[in-house]
């Protein structure tokens, strides 16, 4: 689990198995795979652009981070209903 720099996203990822991400960790070498760090940065950028900049509605998560999972899926990403997640939905993103 990794929290984005803004604290708005909680990113769940695996380092082994079919859903694993690349474990390359050089920039920065912080114990978090580089791909996960980049996803976190990109999610924060998207929020700043769409919610803060353009005024789109933010998901109602009661101040909890929005859940994101990196998995081996056929598409680049999707949002799915999840009654246990803050806001009632979560994002699934491709793991590579």
């Amino acid at each position: 689990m990794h929290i984005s720099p803004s604290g708005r996203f909680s990113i769940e990822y695996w380092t082994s198995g079919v859903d694993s991400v690349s474990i390359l960790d050089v920039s920065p070498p912080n114990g978090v795979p580089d791909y996960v760090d980049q996803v976190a940065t990109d999610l924060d950028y998207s929020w700043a652009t769409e919610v803060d900049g353009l005024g789109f509605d933010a998901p109602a998560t009661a101040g909890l981070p929005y859940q994101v999972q990196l998995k081996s899926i056929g598409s680049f990403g999707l949002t799915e209903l999840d009654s246990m997640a803050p806001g009632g939905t979560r994002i699934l993103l491709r793991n590579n």
Side-chain angles (χ1 to χ4, degrees), residues 24-72:
L24 183 67
D25 180 24
V26 295
S27 180
N30 60 356
V32 176
D34 291 342
Y35 182 71
V36 177
D37 278 328
Q38 187 61 54
V39 166
T41 298
D42 292 346
L43 288 167
D44 282 347
Y45 176 81
S46 293
W47 182 288
T49 299
E50 296 177 17
V51 176
D52 298 338
L54 298 174
F56 284 84
D57 290 337
T61 62
L64 298 171
Y66 194 90
Q67 291 184 355
V68 178
Q69 285 186 339
L70 303 179
K71 300 185 90 170
S72 178

